[in-house]
């Protein structure tokens, strides 16, 4: 699965993201993270793009929910 996550930056966000993926049964195969400025406010925005594998029979909804529960400010996009 290809996963894109965007949200407000905060300390520990990569650790939280990794834990959320693992708790959903996922495995990170590739992960690129970075910071960029929000268009209107200039606040630092966290961005992650990665390749995640999940066990056969696992649903994408569980992975999405696990990541979204990290905070209401995160936007998650998962594609096959």
């Amino acid at each position: 699965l290809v996963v894109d996550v965007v949200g407000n930056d905060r300390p520990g966000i990569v650790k939280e993201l990794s834990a959320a993926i693992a708790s959903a049964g996922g495995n990170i195969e590739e992960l690129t993270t970075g910071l960029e400025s929000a268009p209107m406010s200039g606040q630092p925005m966290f961005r992650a793009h990665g390749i995640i594998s999940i066990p056969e029979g696992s649903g994408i909804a569980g992975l999405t929910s696990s990541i979204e529960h990290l905070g209401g400010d995160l936007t998650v996009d998962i594609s096959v």
Side-chain angles (χ1 to χ4, degrees):
L1 303 173
V2 177
V3 177
D4 288 292
V5 179
V6 177
N8 293 322
D9 187 41
R10 62 181 181 265
I13 193 167
V14 173
K15 178 182 175 186
E16 293 173 10
L17 178 60
S18 298
I21 291 168
S23 74
N27 182 45
I28 299 171
E29 296 180 9
E30 280 181 41
L31 186 65
T32 303
T33 64
L35 291 177
E36 58 187 49
S37 294
M40 300 297 282
S41 67
Q43 292 285 90
M45 296 294 293
F46 170 78
R47 181 175 295 274
H49 174 81
I51 307 295
I52 310 296
S53 61
I54 58 173
E56 194 166 320
S58 295
I60 293 174
L63 179 60
T64 302
S65 176
S66 183
I67 295 171
E68 286 177 342
H69 278 93
L70 296 178
D73 67 321
L74 292 179
T75 302
V76 182
D77 181 44
I78 299 178
S79 58
V80 179

